[in-house]
Amino acid sequence: MPNRDRWFLLVGCLLLAILVRWPTSVFWDALPRDPNTPLHALAALDLSNGTASPFSLSLLGYPDGLGVRLLAWPVLLCSLPFEFLLDPVEAFNLGVVLWLTLQGLVVGLLGARIGWNLRARLLAAAAIMTAPTTLRALGNGQFENVVVLSFVMG
């Protein structure tokens, strides 16, 4: 795949992810109204502090932490690089945009491996990123259900 096509795919997926996650993709400190996002943001902060556990949040329920089951590990890991520079909500919002961009990018790269042209790869990436299940999961704060990347890699 030519470098120009890779850049088109990357920029196209990033722009679509920004559009799909509007307004939190641009206004990083905006907090969606779903009840899960603040907990995910705290879990990402927990992960960056090195105190993360799959079964508790040490930032809640002092001193032992609050017993929860963390599910959205890929999004938490995507937000990890931003945790050191930004507030938890801002870092998590950028992590969600990165995770959504990766969904389309990997599908587009798989299409290149199969032999699809650039238009087909962009269409497949857009279809994956705007699939009803993806949009529903993003709207409900169920980031653990955005797993197309896992299906493609598996």
Side-chain angles (χ1 to χ4, degrees):
M1 176 167 57
N3 280 339
R4 179 184 61 93
D5 288 1
R6 287 186 182 137
W7 282 108
F8 272 125
L9 184 63
L10 176 64
V11 170
C13 289
L14 182 60
L15 288 175
L16 186 58
I18 289 170
L19 182 65
V20 167
R21 286 297 296 168
W22 185 271
T24 61
S25 59
V26 178
F27 303 104
W28 302 339
D29 58 345
L31 187 63
R33 296 185 69 151
D34 67 79
N36 291 332
T37 299
L39 286 176
H40 286 308
L42 284 175
L45 181 62
D46 228 5
L47 187 62
S48 72
N49 290 339
T51 56
S53 163
F55 304 109
S56 70
L57 274 177
S58 66
L59 296 174
L60 296 176
Y62 180 81
D64 299 326
L66 182 67
V68 295
R69 186 174 48 141
L70 301 179
L71 299 173
W73 281 99
V75 180
L76 297 177
L77 293 176
C78 283
S79 66
L80 190 58
F82 306 112
E83 288 289 338
F84 302 104
L85 303 172
L86 303 169
D87 290 333
V89 171
E90 296 170 348
F92 188 73
N93 283 335
L94 287 176
V96 172
V97 170
L98 177 61
W99 180 238
L100 188 58
T101 302
L102 287 174
Q103 304 292 313
L105 193 61
V106 167
V107 168
L109 293 174
L110 179 66
R113 193 173 185 112
I114 294 172
W116 294 348
N117 62 22
L118 179 61
R119 183 177 292 157
R121 291 192 306 265
L122 286 170
L123 184 63
I128 288 300
M129 294 171 68
T130 59
T133 54
T134 301
L135 295 177
R136 190 185 119 257
L138 291 172
N140 291 337
Q142 298 170 334
F143 305 106
E144 60 274 4
N145 293 337
V146 182
V147 294
V148 174
L149 180 65
S150 305
F151 289 144
V152 171
M153 300 297 281

